[in-house]
Amino acid sequence: MKNNTSSSYGAAQGILAKTALNQLRKSGHPLGRPLALCLMFESIENQLMAASLFDLAIALDAALHIPSDSLLAAIRIQWWADAVTSTANQKVPLVTCLQSQYCMRDDLLPQLQELISEWQAACHDENRDSSAGWAAAWQLVAIHLGQSTAANQAAIIGRGLNYAAREQGYDRRAGNVEIDYLRQNGRSWLYLSACFYRTLQRDKNLNLKPAQIKHQMKLDDPGLVWRILSWHIFGPPR
């Protein structure tokens, strides 16, 4: 009976992880597909946690930026705050994924509430800048995937990629990404994300000739999966 229960639980987690990854990949957000690819070597449990948190960040970003009125944005973000904390059965796949996680982790629900509060605060910002929210989301993923010592590095990458996704260039205030340190601590999603970020930065800063521009990596690079495999096997970009 115990083995059957364990198998059923594993199967359920696998389905939720697939749902969360598909939602991330097909979100339409510039970072959706790259983040899903960076998670390809993670365990099902880690994929579910990370993809669910990134899906939430994308949903909150849409709630923040799509409405023309900041009050409407605040209402939409409050809907997510209420939905995530509700004990009722939810028909929203993302909420189901998040509930499955915080039911097993006592500290996750208050962390989710704190994360959502970053987007609530952004409603009162003139530019509706959600970079603090993205940094917090990346830190939370790092902590729950066992990389708490690299949480600050995760925040730098998350903030930088958010700037790139919103076509704001790069955050010059951010610190350096210690990519070799991340590689030594396992070729994880965070290491692959750091490789992705470094390549974007490098190609952006290169003084490319017109004939070279077509080879410059972009957020929607169709060859990103091959780049990720190369970083995973051979090491980071230089």
Side-chain angles (χ1 to χ4, degrees):
M1 180 66 71
K2 184 176 180 180
N3 288 338
N4 289 339
T5 302
S6 178
S7 297
S8 297
Y9 170 78
Q13 291 291 287
I15 292 171
L16 288 174
K18 185 177 180 179
T19 299
L21 280 172
N22 282 339
Q23 187 167 338
L24 183 58
R25 188 179 298 110
K26 298 176 181 178
S27 64
H29 191 279
L31 295 178
R33 177 175 168 270
L35 290 177
L37 289 174
C38 287
L39 291 168
M40 71 168 75
F41 298 109
E42 297 296 324
S43 66
I44 288 176
E45 181 182 359
N46 283 355
Q47 287 179 340
L48 175 56
M49 171 60 75
S52 297
L53 289 173
F54 287 137
D55 283 336
L56 178 60
I58 289 172
L60 292 170
D61 236 31
L64 177 66
H65 293 294
I66 290 177
S68 58
D69 186 273
S70 60
L71 179 59
L72 182 56
I75 292 171
R76 289 164 64 106
I77 292 171
Q78 185 59 46
W79 183 91
W80 280 106
D82 295 339
V84 167
T85 59
S86 174
T87 57
N89 290 330
Q90 292 285 342
K91 296 182 179 180
V92 181
L94 172 54
V95 177
T96 301
C97 290
L98 290 169
Q99 287 180 334
S100 74
Q101 295 299 292
Y102 70 65
C103 284
M104 299 182 297
R105 304 169 189 250
D106 293 337
D107 57 342
L108 181 57
L109 182 54
Q111 289 172 335
L112 289 175
Q113 292 171 314
E114 186 174 347
L115 179 63
I116 293 171
S117 72
E118 295 286 357
W119 269 269
Q120 289 173 322
C123 288
H124 305 290
D125 179 76
E126 182 180 357
N127 298 317
R128 298 195 209 175
D129 181 9
S130 59
S131 57
W134 277 99
W138 279 71
Q139 284 184 312
L140 193 55
V141 173
I143 290 169
H144 282 283
L145 267 60
Q147 295 172 302
S148 56
T149 57
N152 289 337
Q153 287 284 293
I156 292 170
I157 298 167
R159 185 185 293 270
L161 287 177
N162 174 59
Y163 269 71
R166 299 202 61 79
E167 298 181 350
Q168 295 173 313
Y170 295 91
D171 186 3
R172 304 302 178 185
R173 300 166 299 174
N176 294 322
V177 175
E178 299 174 7
I179 197 166
D180 291 325
Y181 165 76
L182 296 176
R183 185 188 183 194
Q184 291 169 6
N185 283 270
R187 299 185 183 186
S188 65
W189 70 278
L190 190 52
Y191 159 71
L192 294 174
S193 299
C195 292
F196 177 55
Y197 180 48
R198 171 177 283 183
T199 305
L200 284 172
Q201 282 184 309
R202 182 197 65 193
D203 287 3
K204 188 77 173 179
N205 292 329
L206 286 176
N207 186 17
L208 298 177
K209 298 177 181 178
Q212 297 174 307
I213 291 177
K214 65 179 181 179
H215 300 296
Q216 180 181 2
M217 193 179 79
K218 299 179 176 62
L219 287 169
D220 59 351
D221 184 357
L224 181 58
V225 63
W226 302 111
R227 291 180 186 261
I228 287 177
L229 287 171
S230 175
W231 299 330
H232 181 72
I233 297 170
F234 301 111
R238 296 298 177 184

